[in-house]
Amino acid sequence: MSRYDFKSLSSQDFEELTRDLLQAEWNVPLESFRTGRDRGIDLRYARVDLGTTIVQCKHFVGSGLRKLISHLRSTEKPKIQALCPNRYVLVTSV
């Protein structure tokens, strides 16, 4: 069996892979946003009756868990609090 890692993927590739996998798993369409200042939203699923699910993709290959957690606390937490989603999903390559 082949072993795969995410080191060869760009951040955009990782986000697209995440979107494709979650759409298949959840059987729903996910909105994508262009790379850059996305205000903490990489992917989103929104329905009036279910609220909003925000997916944040963090491609931190080689950075380690401590750096990811530090980034989440300092940078992403305020964004999540401002957006106030019904559900927040973090997908990471760590």
Side-chain angles (χ1 to χ4, degrees):
M1 177 182 205
S2 297
R3 293 187 54 124
Y4 297 96
D5 64 40
F6 299 109
K7 291 178 184 174
S8 64
L9 296 177
S10 69
S11 293
Q12 183 65 35
D13 291 338
F14 181 72
E15 189 175 309
E16 290 174 10
L17 174 64
T18 298
R19 182 200 61 217
D20 292 347
L21 291 172
L22 289 178
Q23 284 183 147
E25 177 69 22
W26 295 347
N27 197 31
V28 299
L30 291 170
E31 290 179 87
S32 297
F33 299 88
R34 60 190 168 107
T35 303
R37 302 190 62 92
D38 53 26
R39 297 181 312 136
I41 304 172
D42 288 327
L43 307 169
R44 178 175 61 194
Y45 177 67
R47 275 187 39 185
V48 174
D49 58 335
L50 297 177
T52 302
T53 297
I54 292 175
V55 179
Q56 186 67 43
C57 304
K58 291 296 174 194
H59 189 41
F60 274 48
V61 171
S63 297
L65 185 58
R66 284 186 183 183
K67 186 170 181 178
L68 173 66
I69 290 172
S70 175
H71 174 78
L72 292 173
R73 284 185 178 140
S74 65
T75 305
E76 298 302 325
K77 185 177 178 181
K79 294 178 190 178
I80 298 164
Q81 290 171 329
L83 292 167
C84 196
N86 295 82
R87 183 178 182 200
Y88 178 83
V89 177
L90 173 68
V91 179
T92 180
S93 56
V94 172

